[in-house]
Amino acid sequence: MAVTIRDVAHASGVHVSTVSRAFSAAHLVNSQTRARVIAAADSLGYRPNRAARALSTRRTGNLGLIVADIANPFFPPLIKAAQAHARRSDHHVFVADTDEQVRAEEELIRSMATQVDGALLVAPRLGNRLITELSADVPFVVVNRRITNLPAVLMDVASGTRQALEHLASLGHREIALLTGPRASWTNQRLERAATDAAEYHGLRLHRLGPNQPTEGGGAGAAPDVLASGATAVLAYNDLVALGLVQELRGRGLAVPDGLSVVGVDNTHTARHCDLTTIDMPTAAAGRAAIDLLLHRITSEDAPGTVTLDTSLVVRGSTAPPAG
Amino acid sequence: MAVTIRDVAHASGVHVSTVSRAFSAAHLVNSQTRARVIAAADSLGYRPNRAARALSTRRTGNLGLIVADIANPFFPPLIKAAQAHARRSDHHVFVADTDEQVRAEEELIRSMATQVDGALLVAPRLGNRLITELSADVPFVVVNRRITNLPAVLMDVASGTRQALEHLASLGHREIALLTGPRASWTNQRLERAATDAAEYHGLRLHRLGPNQPTEGGGAGAAPDVLASGATAVLAYNDLVALGLVQELRGRGLAVPDGLSVVGVDNTHTARHCDLTTIDMPTAAAGRAAIDLLLHRITSEDAPGTVTLDTSLVVRGSTAPPAG
DNA sequence: GATGTTCATGCAACCGTTTGCAGTCTCCCC
DNA sequence: GGGGAGACTGCAAACGGTTGCATGAACATC
């Protein structure tokens, strides 16, 4: 039915192996012959069968991309950039959503393993041991997680966190609440650490509240604790948490930023619309860098590298001097 | 390197064909034999090679999903639902982002064609003729577009539009601006049509302004026209346009909803956060329905169907009675 | 003119599964 | 006890490419 390499060979009067080489090893075939082959292929509408190619080369030309939740606005820009970047080297990308469930994550990785040349794990929830074990089957690059011997791309929230606390301090805030996220999250660890250090440096009191679910619900649920803490400003684990909190507080009659200043993390477009001060994550750049690392890892089996990208504060309307 | 069907055959003392049947046609093999095979496969960690399977069955077990812009918050819930639903029948999903470019769309479809059993085209921008032509190679299901002889899932904005105009009329608005989207968009056509009809029914004056880019920029750019039109309420092509407009107007000192009421379309989570009245699109349901249609189309080559889903208005804080 | 090199191409095995066909074995029935 | 039906299983040919090796031609070297 579909046109195969054999049809092209017949049409251009050469052996199939010559056709194959005309496509995948051009320098091995006479340029005139090659031109004839290409012409025949074009006129027949030949497209190589990737499954067949995969079978003999053991390379599928596919990459996996595993995220916790596509609907979380943090991920799409990363997915988009990664996919576009992968295409430039003729790779296709499977996107899988684990729905924040660890079991699903493992199963997805396993079922993808037979079908991809490598995979990107973005902020995986799986344990280090299991990831290391799985990495025997498929080359991984992890994003926003550190695992020994695995190449990683890190968006370091520390730099942005320092800027955020400096910003709050300069506005006159002294009591800051930190809404922490999942304990296993590398970003959360960096956030806690950087916030603690920066708070000390600026002489601020830091109230850690958490861990919270990294969702609107998590933010809304933290509202009572925030109010009880006496903090005048909040740094939240991510934009969703921040916005969930803002909405809950508004429902209780507390205005932002007049009653309370709020800073998020991620700089999702939602934050842009809601005028939320937030720490910008270079997600698109991270997506591209991760693909580069992965392709490099796949083609040359050498030492893993780590790319660290800095973050920075974006000041918008959700922060202001404390009331009174 | 990887464990193959041959290893399993050897370990369980049967022929490879029996192993194959044990997995893909269980009823053809003795249940005890099958148990032995499965046990051997488990202990060896056997996973069928999908490329090899694809080669002989001409079924890859992969589906394509082509969208204009992953970062547009309209798409992720659909992608997520489609992917999760596809997995239940052991299908993997390639997601491709055309970046709103027609050329990229065609090329992506072509390059996917060899590798998927079928594809979902969500709000494609390509011309009908080309899509029909391409559909000879790959089964398609289109979402939010009508093309003769192609199965489709439609989220009909008409019902929501009627509700929106009724809502605005009941608030006392008489002059409504409609910010239209891309001409080729089926949703836009339905929107214009339904708005025209409903406006007439309620005795409202409808000012059509557009076409606008379906982005924040498009909404912001329409602000001058909206102000000039004298409308007291706006129905925008989608939430992004609506929010772009709101932001631009606020920058010019015009409050929403006090100075102007705004209604969007899509009910993205951004709309939720920004307290935007909007028409809810059942994107997750559409994603599932589209996958069902596609799988059905793939397995039984019969008549294409169309699924139409209704939409409904979600009233939030961006609409109020007109000033004065 | 024998030998060696290089370039271009053909040959055929292989990648891991599936599947039509052809046994073989057991069981049942007349 | 001969014949037929059914249930299993093995055999081997695909599926569509890739690639190591062999072959042959053209050309240079001594």
Side-chain angles (χ1 to χ4, degrees), chain A:
Chain A
M1 190 108 305
V3 21
T4 77
I5 208 174
R6 247 162 274 273
D7 301 325
V8 177
H10 190 255
S12 48
V14 298
H15 194 263
V16 292
S17 56
T18 302
V19 178
S20 171
R21 283 189 276 254
F23 283 97
S24 47
H27 62 283
L28 289 180
V29 18
N30 177 291
S31 60
Q32 295 183 21
T33 310
R34 176 158 191 273
R36 239 175 41 237
V37 170
I38 300 285
D42 278 354
S43 83
L44 292 174
Y46 167 74
R47 290 236 156 194
N49 178 320
R50 296 186 76 132
R53 184 175 273 181
L55 196 53
S56 57
T57 60
R58 296 148 172 290
R59 284 287 210 77
T60 61
N62 298 332
L63 304 177
L65 175 48
I66 298 189
V67 301
D69 179 11
I70 300 180
N72 177 332
F74 171 74
F75 294 108
L78 192 153
I79 297 171
K80 182 178 174 117
Q83 188 242 318
H85 200 62
R87 270 215 58 71
R88 313 171 121 247
S89 53
D90 199 27
H91 283 263
H92 288 185
V93 175
F94 283 117
V95 177
D97 176 316
T98 67
D99 219 16
E100 305 269 4
Q101 285 163 7
V102 176
R103 297 282 304 261
E105 187 171 335
E106 180 180 354
E107 181 46 32
L108 280 170
I109 293 175
R110 285 223 143 88
S111 80
M112 264 189 180
T114 60
Q115 228 186 163
V116 298
D117 300 334
L120 248 51
L121 307 184
V122 186
R125 303 274 189 263
L126 241 41
N128 280 9
R129 268 194 52 176
L130 195 46
I131 293 183
T132 305
E133 189 185 317
L134 290 168
S135 78
D137 295 339
V138 208
F140 287 146
V141 167
V142 295
V143 176
N144 278 5
R145 174 102 175 241
R146 283 199 66 87
I147 299 175
T148 314
N149 289 329
L150 284 189
V153 173
L154 302 168
M155 292 176 259
D156 191 352
V157 78
S159 42
T161 303
R162 282 191 292 273
Q163 293 173 30
L165 290 207
E166 182 177 338
H167 168 64
L168 293 175
S170 75
L171 287 172
H173 293 276
R174 288 293 165 260
E175 306 276 332
I176 316 284
L178 176 67
L179 298 190
T180 62
R183 284 212 189 296
S185 154
W186 180 82
T187 294
N188 185 60
Q189 290 160 17
R190 294 293 294 171
L191 179 68
E192 290 202 34
R193 179 63 172 276
T196 305
D197 292 352
E200 184 170 351
Y201 179 80
H202 291 289
L204 310 174
R205 235 174 98 190
L206 192 71
H207 307 262
R208 296 185 191 212
L209 307 175
N212 303 282
Q213 288 290 316
T215 61
E216 288 99 329
D225 288 347
V226 168
L227 294 173
S229 73
T232 61
V234 177
L235 174 56
Y237 172 69
N238 68 19
D239 289 344
L240 293 182
V241 172
L243 291 166
L245 175 68
V246 168
Q247 203 138 31
E248 177 66 21
L249 291 178
R250 288 210 174 118
R252 296 173 178 229
L254 183 62
V256 171
D258 305 326
L260 188 81
S261 288
V262 176
V263 178
V265 171
D266 285 350
N267 193 23
T268 59
H269 56 88
T270 313
R272 235 166 291 147
H273 285 300
C274 297
D275 207 26
L276 179 72
T277 296
T278 187
I279 296 172
D280 178 68
M281 289 283 212
T283 45
R288 284 187 293 270
I291 291 289
D292 282 338
L293 244 46
L294 187 56
L295 291 177
H296 183 262
R297 172 83 202 284
I298 290 169
T299 52
S300 72
E301 189 82 23
D302 62 356
T306 293
V307 172
T308 303
L309 304 170
D310 274 349
T311 59
S312 60
L313 186 70
V314 177
V315 177
R316 297 207 182 89
S318 68
T319 45

Side-chain angles (χ1 to χ4, degrees), chain B residues 270-288:
Chain B
T270 313
R272 234 165 292 147
H273 284 301
C274 296
D275 206 27
L276 180 72
T277 296
T278 187
I279 297 173
D280 178 68
M281 290 282 213
T283 45
R288 284 187 294 268

Side-chain angles (χ1 to χ4, degrees), chain B residues 161-201:
Chain B
T161 303
R162 283 191 290 274
Q163 293 173 30
L165 290 207
E166 183 177 339
H167 168 64
L168 293 174
S170 75
L171 286 173
H173 293 275
R174 288 292 165 262
E175 307 275 333
I176 315 283
L178 177 67
L179 299 190
T180 62
R183 285 212 189 294
S185 155
W186 180 83
T187 293
N188 185 61
Q189 290 160 18
R190 294 293 293 171
L191 179 67
E192 288 201 34
R193 179 63 172 275
T196 305
D197 293 352
E200 185 169 351
Y201 180 80

